[in-house]
Amino acid sequence: DYNEARDIPSIKNGTSQLSAYLAAGVVSPRQCLHIATQVDDGTKTWISELTWRDFYTHVMVGFPKVSKHQPFKDKTNAIDWRTNKSDFEAWASGNTGYPIVDAGMRQLNQTGWMHNRLRMVTAMFLTKNLLIDWRLGERYFMTHLVDGDLAANNGGWQWCASTGCDGQPYFRIFNPVTQGERFDADGSFVRRWIPELASVPDKYVHQPWKWSNVSALSYPSPIVDHKAQREITLLNYKNAKDTLDAT
């Protein structure tokens, strides 16, 4: 059931939990592939994840600039990233006011590991909602992840920031509320890492600011309006593209 379970962070064994062992060289991707191909069709999605891991390693070998704090897409150097220390610290500490983002960051800070779906959600929030340079987030992850892998971490951040060779189109921006509702429908994962939201009904657990008793919560309001910031980010990326296209 990996194909379905891997995206639900509340499922304890929904992923293989082998990333730290792969990063440390305790097991090899080839060993994983050998065993997976002898099981059944249920491992196909997991094998594709192993392939992504090798893909990013090949990208780094073929284009070493990405290991030197450079984007794969040179044009994205023109993006006007924000410098906001307080927003970055709110993101890093898990206090953005968006529960699914904060739960992921608190899991990372407390355990040294984060569910892969949440790595995408938190990385895209930093780069697309807060418009903060992906390299700051890449560095933060590498200093906290027990499974930190230079190529995979770099590739994942550049995917989210739309600066990589396989990056998401710049206009694709995750909505942290709908991501939470989709992958943590009952809020069980959020409540595990954010006990301040224990009393919030399921209906409001991913947007507690809409709950009638929100004033009783010791949880911050959203530090940014997703809808408004989305338009600012889209314009920023478009301007960077148009500026370089004209030169």
Side-chain angles (χ1 to χ4, degrees):
D1 60 353
Y2 175 80
N3 188 40
E4 294 77 26
R6 71 190 182 105
D7 269 329
I8 311 300
S10 61
I11 299 178
K12 185 176 180 180
N13 296 315
T15 63
S16 72
Q17 306 289 311
L18 286 176
S19 55
Y21 302 96
L22 284 163
V26 178
V27 295
S28 74
R30 186 170 292 185
Q31 284 177 293
C32 295
L33 178 63
H34 175 71
I35 294 173
T37 54
Q38 297 182 54
V39 186
D40 54 47
D41 288 346
T43 63
K44 286 183 177 178
T45 302
W46 189 59
I47 290 172
S48 73
E49 295 302 311
L50 288 174
T51 305
W52 273 114
R53 188 177 183 279
D54 273 8
F55 170 73
Y56 285 134
T57 300
H58 280 280
V59 170
M60 188 160 283
V61 171
F63 303 89
K65 67 179 181 178
V66 300
S67 69
K68 302 174 183 178
H69 314 295
Q70 293 299 312
F72 181 87
K73 297 178 180 177
D74 294 333
K75 289 184 177 182
T76 59
N77 271 316
I79 295 172
D80 185 20
W81 300 108
R82 292 175 64 235
T83 301
N84 190 307
K85 186 176 180 180
S86 63
D87 279 0
F88 181 83
E89 290 178 348
W91 171 83
S93 64
N95 286 290
T96 68
Y98 286 98
I100 197 65
V101 174
D102 295 339
M105 295 305 297
R106 294 186 189 191
Q107 181 184 39
L108 170 65
N109 291 331
Q110 293 180 42
T111 70
W113 186 85
M114 189 196 297
H115 189 277
N116 185 61
R117 166 57 55 176
L118 302 185
R119 296 187 196 204
M120 294 188 286
V121 171
T122 57
M124 194 168 289
F125 185 85
L126 183 73
T127 57
K128 299 288 183 66
N129 278 277
L130 299 182
L131 202 56
I132 291 176
D133 197 324
W134 59 271
R135 284 161 282 221
L136 297 177
E138 177 196 22
R139 183 183 304 126
Y140 190 86
F141 271 26
M142 280 301 290
T143 59
H144 288 76
L145 288 169
V146 296
D147 65 357
D149 176 90
L150 179 61
N153 187 54
N154 179 276
W157 273 94
Q158 295 220 43
W159 183 89
C160 290
S162 302
T163 62
C165 61
D166 67 315
Q168 281 294 291
Y170 73 86
F171 48 81
R172 185 183 183 192
I173 302 175
F174 287 171
N175 182 319
V177 173
T178 56
Q179 286 287 307
E181 292 173 341
R182 180 179 177 185
F183 298 110
D184 187 36
D186 62 359
S188 58
F189 182 83
V190 159
R191 291 190 183 91
R192 183 189 309 169
W193 295 102
I194 310 177
E196 304 97 295
L197 301 180
S199 62
V200 180
D202 291 358
K203 180 179 179 181
Y204 301 107
V205 72
H206 292 293
Q207 41 188 343
W209 58 89
K210 290 187 176 182
W211 188 38
S212 58
N213 293 331
V214 63
S215 60
L217 299 177
S218 57
Y219 182 70
S221 299
I223 62 174
V224 66
D225 179 271
H226 168 73
K227 185 176 180 180
Q229 188 59 41
R230 182 179 186 277
E231 296 305 314
I232 293 172
T233 297
L234 289 175
L235 182 61
N236 193 312
Y237 271 74
K238 185 178 184 300
N239 286 342
K241 179 179 180 298
D242 291 347
T243 298
L244 287 171
D245 284 346
T247 60

